[in-house]
mmCIF file of all heavy atoms in Angstrom:
data_model
loop_
_atom_site.group_PDB
_atom_site.id
_atom_site.type_symbol
_atom_site.label_atom_id
_atom_site.label_comp_id
_atom_site.label_asym_id
_atom_site.label_seq_id
_atom_site.Cartn_x
_atom_site.Cartn_y
_atom_site.Cartn_z
ATOM 1 N N ARG A 143 -13.717 -0.091 4.503
ATOM 2 C CA ARG A 143 -12.434 -0.530 5.050
ATOM 3 C C ARG A 143 -11.667 -1.241 3.945
ATOM 4 O O ARG A 143 -12.206 -2.117 3.272
ATOM 5 C CB ARG A 143 -12.635 -1.483 6.233
ATOM 6 C CG ARG A 143 -13.372 -0.851 7.401
ATOM 7 C CD ARG A 143 -13.691 -1.875 8.493
ATOM 8 N NE ARG A 143 -12.497 -2.385 9.149
ATOM 9 C CZ ARG A 143 -12.069 -3.647 9.091
ATOM 10 N NH1 ARG A 143 -12.757 -4.554 8.382
ATOM 11 N NH2 ARG A 143 -10.992 -4.032 9.731
ATOM 12 N N PHE A 144 -10.409 -0.856 3.743
ATOM 13 C CA PHE A 144 -9.623 -1.502 2.692
ATOM 14 C C PHE A 144 -8.146 -1.477 3.067
ATOM 15 O O PHE A 144 -7.709 -0.697 3.907
ATOM 16 C CB PHE A 144 -9.854 -0.824 1.334
ATOM 17 C CG PHE A 144 -9.470 0.630 1.289
ATOM 18 C CD1 PHE A 144 -8.197 1.030 0.920
ATOM 19 C CD2 PHE A 144 -10.398 1.609 1.627
ATOM 20 C CE1 PHE A 144 -7.842 2.374 0.881
ATOM 21 C CE2 PHE A 144 -10.062 2.955 1.591
ATOM 22 C CZ PHE A 144 -8.779 3.339 1.215
ATOM 23 N N CYS A 145 -7.376 -2.369 2.431
ATOM 24 C CA CYS A 145 -5.922 -2.349 2.610
ATOM 25 C C CYS A 145 -5.272 -2.280 1.230
ATOM 26 O O CYS A 145 -5.768 -2.861 0.263
ATOM 27 C CB CYS A 145 -5.433 -3.565 3.388
ATOM 28 S SG CYS A 145 -5.609 -5.141 2.540
ATOM 29 N N PHE A 146 -4.181 -1.541 1.144
ATOM 30 C CA PHE A 146 -3.479 -1.328 -0.120
ATOM 31 C C PHE A 146 -2.130 -2.029 -0.060
ATOM 32 O O PHE A 146 -1.296 -1.709 0.793
ATOM 33 C CB PHE A 146 -3.303 0.176 -0.340
ATOM 34 C CG PHE A 146 -2.472 0.531 -1.536
ATOM 35 C CD1 PHE A 146 -2.784 0.038 -2.792
ATOM 36 C CD2 PHE A 146 -1.377 1.374 -1.392
ATOM 37 C CE1 PHE A 146 -2.014 0.378 -3.895
ATOM 38 C CE2 PHE A 146 -0.608 1.723 -2.489
ATOM 39 C CZ PHE A 146 -0.922 1.227 -3.746
ATOM 40 N N GLU A 147 -1.909 -2.982 -0.960
ATOM 41 C CA GLU A 147 -0.660 -3.745 -0.964
ATOM 42 C C GLU A 147 0.298 -3.313 -2.064
ATOM 43 O O GLU A 147 1.396 -3.830 -2.173
ATOM 44 C CB GLU A 147 -0.963 -5.241 -1.133
ATOM 45 C CG GLU A 147 -1.425 -5.916 0.143
ATOM 46 C CD GLU A 147 -0.354 -5.966 1.216
ATOM 47 O OE1 GLU A 147 0.850 -5.957 0.889
ATOM 48 O OE2 GLU A 147 -0.727 -5.985 2.401
ATOM 49 N N ALA A 148 -0.124 -2.373 -2.932
ATOM 50 C CA ALA A 148 0.692 -1.960 -4.085
ATOM 51 C C ALA A 148 1.086 -3.200 -4.903
ATOM 52 O O ALA A 148 0.255 -4.063 -5.142
ATOM 53 C CB ALA A 148 1.896 -1.159 -3.630
ATOM 54 N N PHE A 149 2.361 -3.314 -5.304
ATOM 55 C CA PHE A 149 2.817 -4.497 -6.036
ATOM 56 C C PHE A 149 3.266 -5.562 -5.031
ATOM 57 O O PHE A 149 3.983 -5.255 -4.075
ATOM 58 C CB PHE A 149 3.993 -4.150 -6.951
ATOM 59 C CG PHE A 149 3.613 -3.311 -8.142
ATOM 60 C CD1 PHE A 149 3.677 -1.930 -8.073
ATOM 61 C CD2 PHE A 149 3.188 -3.905 -9.318
ATOM 62 C CE1 PHE A 149 3.325 -1.150 -9.157
ATOM 63 C CE2 PHE A 149 2.838 -3.139 -10.413
ATOM 64 C CZ PHE A 149 2.902 -1.751 -10.332
ATOM 65 N N LEU A 150 2.862 -6.803 -5.237
ATOM 66 C CA LEU A 150 3.340 -7.888 -4.387
ATOM 67 C C LEU A 150 4.844 -8.067 -4.598
ATOM 68 O O LEU A 150 5.368 -7.765 -5.674
ATOM 69 C CB LEU A 150 2.630 -9.194 -4.751
ATOM 70 C CG LEU A 150 1.125 -9.276 -4.460
ATOM 71 C CD1 LEU A 150 0.582 -10.605 -4.961
ATOM 72 C CD2 LEU A 150 0.840 -9.117 -2.978
ATOM 73 N N PRO A 151 5.569 -8.564 -3.595
ATOM 74 C CA PRO A 151 6.991 -8.868 -3.796
ATOM 75 C C PRO A 151 7.169 -9.810 -4.985
ATOM 76 O O PRO A 151 6.320 -10.654 -5.266
ATOM 77 C CB PRO A 151 7.381 -9.555 -2.482
ATOM 78 C CG PRO A 151 6.400 -9.039 -1.480
ATOM 79 C CD PRO A 151 5.111 -8.863 -2.227
ATOM 80 N N SER A 152 8.269 -9.648 -5.682
ATOM 81 C CA SER A 152 8.519 -10.423 -6.898
ATOM 82 C C SER A 152 8.702 -11.914 -6.611
ATOM 83 O O SER A 152 9.407 -12.298 -5.676
ATOM 84 C CB SER A 152 9.772 -9.893 -7.587
ATOM 85 O OG SER A 152 10.205 -10.761 -8.601
ATOM 86 N N GLU A 153 8.075 -12.745 -7.436
ATOM 87 C CA GLU A 153 8.236 -14.195 -7.337
ATOM 88 C C GLU A 153 9.681 -14.593 -7.637
ATOM 89 O O GLU A 153 10.226 -15.509 -7.035
ATOM 90 C CB GLU A 153 7.289 -14.874 -8.346
ATOM 91 C CG GLU A 153 7.487 -16.365 -8.538
ATOM 92 C CD GLU A 153 6.904 -17.188 -7.400
ATOM 93 O OE1 GLU A 153 6.189 -16.599 -6.561
ATOM 94 O OE2 GLU A 153 7.156 -18.398 -7.363
ATOM 95 N N ARG A 154 10.311 -13.856 -8.520
ATOM 96 C CA ARG A 154 11.659 -14.202 -8.968
ATOM 97 C C ARG A 154 12.736 -13.813 -7.962
ATOM 98 O O ARG A 154 13.681 -14.557 -7.726
ATOM 99 C CB ARG A 154 11.948 -13.515 -10.317
ATOM 100 C CG ARG A 154 13.299 -13.857 -10.934
ATOM 101 C CD ARG A 154 13.389 -13.316 -12.340
ATOM 102 N NE ARG A 154 13.208 -11.877 -12.373
ATOM 103 C CZ ARG A 154 14.187 -10.998 -12.152
ATOM 104 N NH1 ARG A 154 15.410 -11.430 -11.861
ATOM 105 N NH2 ARG A 154 13.958 -9.705 -12.212
ATOM 106 N N THR A 155 12.575 -12.631 -7.323
ATOM 107 C CA THR A 155 13.648 -12.141 -6.450
ATOM 108 C C THR A 155 13.362 -12.281 -4.958
ATOM 109 O O THR A 155 14.290 -12.215 -4.149
ATOM 110 C CB THR A 155 13.928 -10.648 -6.747
ATOM 111 O OG1 THR A 155 12.727 -9.887 -6.504
ATOM 112 C CG2 THR A 155 14.358 -10.459 -8.193
ATOM 113 N N ASP A 156 12.102 -12.423 -4.578
ATOM 114 C CA ASP A 156 11.783 -12.492 -3.143
ATOM 115 C C ASP A 156 10.596 -13.425 -2.910
ATOM 116 O O ASP A 156 9.560 -13.021 -2.394
ATOM 117 C CB ASP A 156 11.482 -11.089 -2.614
ATOM 118 C CG ASP A 156 11.777 -10.970 -1.120
ATOM 119 O OD1 ASP A 156 11.900 -12.025 -0.469
ATOM 120 O OD2 ASP A 156 11.881 -9.846 -0.617
ATOM 121 N N LYS A 157 10.794 -14.685 -3.259
ATOM 122 C CA LYS A 157 9.712 -15.670 -3.193
ATOM 123 C C LYS A 157 9.192 -15.850 -1.763
ATOM 124 O O LYS A 157 7.986 -15.968 -1.531
ATOM 125 C CB LYS A 157 10.216 -17.007 -3.740
ATOM 126 C CG LYS A 157 9.138 -18.031 -3.983
ATOM 127 C CD LYS A 157 9.692 -19.236 -4.731
ATOM 128 C CE LYS A 157 8.596 -20.221 -5.053
ATOM 129 N NZ LYS A 157 9.115 -21.367 -5.838
ATOM 130 N N LYS A 158 10.098 -15.866 -0.797
ATOM 131 C CA LYS A 158 9.704 -16.081 0.601
ATOM 132 C C LYS A 158 8.825 -14.938 1.107
ATOM 133 O O LYS A 158 7.810 -15.147 1.766
ATOM 134 C CB LYS A 158 10.960 -16.207 1.471
ATOM 135 C CG LYS A 158 10.667 -16.572 2.910
ATOM 136 C CD LYS A 158 11.956 -16.773 3.687
ATOM 137 C CE LYS A 158 11.666 -17.119 5.145
ATOM 138 N NZ LYS A 158 12.925 -17.308 5.912
ATOM 139 N N GLU A 159 9.215 -13.700 0.795
ATOM 140 C CA GLU A 159 8.445 -12.537 1.236
ATOM 141 C C GLU A 159 7.081 -12.490 0.532
ATOM 142 O O GLU A 159 6.078 -12.132 1.146
ATOM 143 C CB GLU A 159 9.231 -11.251 0.940
ATOM 144 C CG GLU A 159 8.514 -9.962 1.288
ATOM 145 C CD GLU A 159 8.228 -9.778 2.768
ATOM 146 O OE1 GLU A 159 8.704 -10.584 3.592
ATOM 147 O OE2 GLU A 159 7.503 -8.818 3.103
ATOM 148 N N ARG A 160 7.056 -12.876 -0.719
ATOM 149 C CA ARG A 160 5.787 -12.921 -1.455
ATOM 150 C C ARG A 160 4.825 -13.904 -0.786
ATOM 151 O O ARG A 160 3.649 -13.606 -0.589
ATOM 152 C CB ARG A 160 6.048 -13.335 -2.906
ATOM 153 C CG ARG A 160 4.783 -13.371 -3.789
ATOM 154 C CD ARG A 160 5.148 -13.852 -5.188
ATOM 155 N NE ARG A 160 4.011 -13.977 -6.065
ATOM 156 C CZ ARG A 160 3.556 -13.033 -6.875
ATOM 157 N NH1 ARG A 160 4.150 -11.847 -6.885
ATOM 158 N NH2 ARG A 160 2.518 -13.239 -7.663
ATOM 159 N N ARG A 161 5.330 -15.060 -0.426
ATOM 160 C CA ARG A 161 4.499 -16.069 0.230
ATOM 161 C C ARG A 161 3.994 -15.559 1.585
ATOM 162 O O ARG A 161 2.838 -15.775 1.943
ATOM 163 C CB ARG A 161 5.321 -17.353 0.412
ATOM 164 C CG ARG A 161 4.639 -18.489 1.149
ATOM 165 C CD ARG A 161 3.284 -18.852 0.602
ATOM 166 N NE ARG A 161 3.283 -19.086 -0.826
ATOM 167 C CZ ARG A 161 2.200 -19.353 -1.535
ATOM 168 N NH1 ARG A 161 1.014 -19.421 -0.944
ATOM 169 N NH2 ARG A 161 2.264 -19.542 -2.836
ATOM 170 N N ARG A 162 4.855 -14.855 2.323
ATOM 171 C CA ARG A 162 4.448 -14.309 3.621
ATOM 172 C C ARG A 162 3.306 -13.309 3.463
ATOM 173 O O ARG A 162 2.323 -13.342 4.212
ATOM 174 C CB ARG A 162 5.639 -13.630 4.305
ATOM 175 C CG ARG A 162 5.339 -13.152 5.721
ATOM 176 C CD ARG A 162 6.443 -12.262 6.255
ATOM 177 N NE ARG A 162 6.522 -11.003 5.543
ATOM 178 C CZ ARG A 162 5.690 -9.983 5.747
ATOM 179 N NH1 ARG A 162 4.701 -10.078 6.626
ATOM 180 N NH2 ARG A 162 5.824 -8.864 5.059
ATOM 181 N N VAL A 163 3.425 -12.413 2.474
ATOM 182 C CA VAL A 163 2.387 -11.405 2.249
ATOM 183 C C VAL A 163 1.075 -12.073 1.831
ATOM 184 O O VAL A 163 -0.007 -11.716 2.320
ATOM 185 C CB VAL A 163 2.839 -10.388 1.179
ATOM 186 C CG1 VAL A 163 1.682 -9.476 0.765
ATOM 187 C CG2 VAL A 163 4.001 -9.551 1.696
ATOM 188 N N LEU A 164 1.160 -13.056 0.955
ATOM 189 C CA LEU A 164 -0.044 -13.762 0.506
ATOM 190 C C LEU A 164 -0.737 -14.468 1.674
ATOM 191 O O LEU A 164 -1.970 -14.468 1.779
ATOM 192 C CB LEU A 164 0.309 -14.764 -0.590
ATOM 193 C CG LEU A 164 0.612 -14.162 -1.970
ATOM 194 C CD1 LEU A 164 1.271 -15.195 -2.870
ATOM 195 C CD2 LEU A 164 -0.658 -13.632 -2.625
ATOM 196 N N GLU A 165 0.053 -15.074 2.546
ATOM 197 C CA GLU A 165 -0.526 -15.756 3.710
ATOM 198 C C GLU A 165 -1.225 -14.762 4.641
ATOM 199 O O GLU A 165 -2.266 -15.065 5.219
ATOM 200 C CB GLU A 165 0.561 -16.539 4.449
ATOM 201 C CG GLU A 165 0.971 -17.806 3.707
ATOM 202 C CD GLU A 165 2.143 -18.523 4.360
ATOM 203 O OE1 GLU A 165 2.651 -18.000 5.378
ATOM 204 O OE2 GLU A 165 2.543 -19.587 3.860
ATOM 205 N N GLU A 166 -0.655 -13.568 4.782
ATOM 206 C CA GLU A 166 -1.303 -12.537 5.581
ATOM 207 C C GLU A 166 -2.647 -12.137 4.975
ATOM 208 O O GLU A 166 -3.633 -11.920 5.678
ATOM 209 C CB GLU A 166 -0.404 -11.296 5.688
ATOM 210 C CG GLU A 166 0.740 -11.442 6.658
ATOM 211 C CD GLU A 166 1.537 -10.158 6.794
ATOM 212 O OE1 GLU A 166 1.194 -9.157 6.116
ATOM 213 O OE2 GLU A 166 2.502 -10.148 7.574
ATOM 214 N N LEU A 167 -2.673 -12.040 3.655
ATOM 215 C CA LEU A 167 -3.901 -11.643 2.969
ATOM 216 C C LEU A 167 -4.992 -12.713 3.072
ATOM 217 O O LEU A 167 -6.174 -12.396 2.916
ATOM 218 C CB LEU A 167 -3.612 -11.349 1.495
ATOM 219 C CG LEU A 167 -2.749 -10.117 1.206
ATOM 220 C CD1 LEU A 167 -2.504 -9.983 -0.290
ATOM 221 C CD2 LEU A 167 -3.390 -8.860 1.757
ATOM 222 N N SER A 168 -4.596 -13.952 3.327
ATOM 223 C CA SER A 168 -5.573 -15.040 3.372
ATOM 224 C C SER A 168 -6.623 -14.829 4.449
ATOM 225 O O SER A 168 -7.740 -15.336 4.352
ATOM 226 C CB SER A 168 -4.878 -16.390 3.585
ATOM 227 O OG SER A 168 -4.322 -16.455 4.896
ATOM 228 N N ASP A 169 -6.298 -14.062 5.487
ATOM 229 C CA ASP A 169 -7.243 -13.834 6.581
ATOM 230 C C ASP A 169 -7.729 -12.381 6.626
ATOM 231 O O ASP A 169 -8.353 -11.960 7.590
ATOM 232 C CB ASP A 169 -6.594 -14.201 7.918
ATOM 233 C CG ASP A 169 -7.630 -14.595 8.966
ATOM 234 O OD1 ASP A 169 -8.622 -15.253 8.606
ATOM 235 O OD2 ASP A 169 -7.449 -14.220 10.141
ATOM 236 N N GLU A 170 -7.454 -11.621 5.556
ATOM 237 C CA GLU A 170 -7.803 -10.199 5.514
ATOM 238 C C GLU A 170 -9.296 -10.015 5.221
ATOM 239 O O GLU A 170 -9.809 -10.514 4.228
ATOM 240 C CB GLU A 170 -6.970 -9.495 4.427
ATOM 241 C CG GLU A 170 -7.267 -8.020 4.264
ATOM 242 C CD GLU A 170 -7.046 -7.253 5.550
ATOM 243 O OE1 GLU A 170 -5.875 -7.110 5.957
ATOM 244 O OE2 GLU A 170 -8.053 -6.812 6.137
ATOM 245 N N THR A 171 -9.987 -9.308 6.117
ATOM 246 C CA THR A 171 -11.429 -9.095 5.929
ATOM 247 C C THR A 171 -11.731 -7.809 5.167
ATOM 248 O O THR A 171 -12.839 -7.626 4.678
ATOM 249 C CB THR A 171 -12.156 -9.043 7.290
ATOM 250 O OG1 THR A 171 -11.602 -7.987 8.076
ATOM 251 C CG2 THR A 171 -12.011 -10.362 8.021
ATOM 252 N N ARG A 172 -10.749 -6.913 5.091
ATOM 253 C CA ARG A 172 -10.967 -5.661 4.355
ATOM 254 C C ARG A 172 -10.798 -5.896 2.853
ATOM 255 O O ARG A 172 -10.139 -6.847 2.433
ATOM 256 C CB ARG A 172 -9.974 -4.601 4.824
ATOM 257 C CG ARG A 172 -10.141 -4.196 6.273
ATOM 258 C CD ARG A 172 -8.986 -3.346 6.748
ATOM 259 N NE ARG A 172 -7.729 -4.085 6.753
ATOM 260 C CZ ARG A 172 -6.552 -3.570 7.073
ATOM 261 N NH1 ARG A 172 -6.463 -2.295 7.409
ATOM 262 N NH2 ARG A 172 -5.458 -4.318 7.055
ATOM 263 N N THR A 173 -11.358 -5.026 2.043
ATOM 264 C CA THR A 173 -11.144 -5.069 0.599
ATOM 265 C C THR A 173 -9.659 -4.855 0.327
ATOM 266 O O THR A 173 -9.016 -3.992 0.942
ATOM 267 C CB THR A 173 -11.978 -3.983 -0.096
ATOM 268 O OG1 THR A 173 -13.359 -4.204 0.196
ATOM 269 C CG2 THR A 173 -11.776 -4.013 -1.603
ATOM 270 N N ILE A 174 -9.101 -5.631 -0.586
ATOM 271 C CA ILE A 174 -7.661 -5.626 -0.873
ATOM 272 C C ILE A 174 -7.413 -4.975 -2.234
ATOM 273 O O ILE A 174 -8.094 -5.298 -3.219
ATOM 274 C CB ILE A 174 -7.114 -7.065 -0.894
ATOM 275 C CG1 ILE A 174 -7.393 -7.768 0.440
ATOM 276 C CG2 ILE A 174 -5.627 -7.087 -1.221
ATOM 277 C CD1 ILE A 174 -7.294 -9.288 0.369
ATOM 278 N N ILE A 175 -6.430 -4.084 -2.309
ATOM 279 C CA ILE A 175 -6.080 -3.432 -3.569
ATOM 280 C C ILE A 175 -4.630 -3.761 -3.908
ATOM 281 O O ILE A 175 -3.731 -3.565 -3.085
ATOM 282 C CB ILE A 175 -6.249 -1.909 -3.480
ATOM 283 C CG1 ILE A 175 -7.659 -1.550 -2.993
ATOM 284 C CG2 ILE A 175 -5.985 -1.251 -4.838
ATOM 285 C CD1 ILE A 175 -7.821 -0.080 -2.642
ATOM 286 N N ILE A 176 -4.416 -4.265 -5.131
ATOM 287 C CA ILE A 176 -3.078 -4.654 -5.583
ATOM 288 C C ILE A 176 -2.840 -4.097 -6.985
ATOM 289 O O ILE A 176 -3.735 -4.118 -7.834
ATOM 290 C CB ILE A 176 -2.947 -6.195 -5.607
ATOM 291 C CG1 ILE A 176 -2.987 -6.755 -4.176
ATOM 292 C CG2 ILE A 176 -1.668 -6.643 -6.312
ATOM 293 C CD1 ILE A 176 -3.043 -8.272 -4.110
ATOM 294 N N TYR A 177 -1.639 -3.604 -7.238
ATOM 295 C CA TYR A 177 -1.232 -3.201 -8.580
ATOM 296 C C TYR A 177 -0.542 -4.381 -9.263
ATOM 297 O O TYR A 177 0.138 -5.176 -8.593
ATOM 298 C CB TYR A 177 -0.231 -2.044 -8.526
ATOM 299 C CG TYR A 177 -0.786 -0.716 -8.071
ATOM 300 C CD1 TYR A 177 0.083 0.280 -7.609
ATOM 301 C CD2 TYR A 177 -2.146 -0.435 -8.111
ATOM 302 C CE1 TYR A 177 -0.391 1.517 -7.196
ATOM 303 C CE2 TYR A 177 -2.631 0.796 -7.700
ATOM 304 C CZ TYR A 177 -1.752 1.771 -7.243
ATOM 305 O OH TYR A 177 -2.228 2.991 -6.845
ATOM 306 N N GLU A 178 -0.677 -4.477 -10.582
ATOM 307 C CA GLU A 178 0.060 -5.524 -11.289
ATOM 308 C C GLU A 178 0.327 -5.139 -12.741
ATOM 309 O O GLU A 178 -0.507 -4.513 -13.404
ATOM 310 C CB GLU A 178 -0.691 -6.863 -11.233
ATOM 311 C CG GLU A 178 0.166 -8.046 -11.622
ATOM 312 C CD GLU A 178 1.518 -8.081 -10.887
ATOM 313 O OE1 GLU A 178 2.466 -7.395 -11.347
ATOM 314 O OE2 GLU A 178 1.616 -8.770 -9.858
ATOM 315 N N ALA A 179 1.513 -5.527 -13.212
ATOM 316 C CA ALA A 179 1.904 -5.319 -14.603
ATOM 317 C C ALA A 179 1.350 -6.472 -15.450
ATOM 318 O O ALA A 179 1.139 -7.569 -14.935
ATOM 319 C CB ALA A 179 3.423 -5.272 -14.713
ATOM 320 N N PRO A 180 1.127 -6.242 -16.741
ATOM 321 C CA PRO A 180 0.500 -7.276 -17.572
ATOM 322 C C PRO A 180 1.265 -8.600 -17.626
ATOM 323 O O PRO A 180 0.656 -9.663 -17.614
ATOM 324 C CB PRO A 180 0.427 -6.622 -18.961
ATOM 325 C CG PRO A 180 1.351 -5.452 -18.909
ATOM 326 C CD PRO A 180 1.389 -5.001 -17.500
#
Side-chain angles (χ1 to χ4, degrees):
R143 298 174 67 245
F144 60 91
C145 67
F146 174 54
E147 281 294 334
F149 289 92
L150 293 177
S152 168
E153 170 77 10
R154 183 171 59 84
T155 60
D156 206 343
K157 192 171 184 177
K158 186 176 179 180
E159 177 64 7
R160 182 182 177 92
R161 177 52 52 183
R162 186 191 67 78
V163 170
L164 286 166
E165 286 174 358
E166 283 184 359
L167 292 178
S168 69
D169 206 38
E170 179 58 70
T171 59
R172 296 170 295 177
T173 301
I174 303 162
I175 306 170
I176 292 173
Y177 290 161
E178 195 50 277

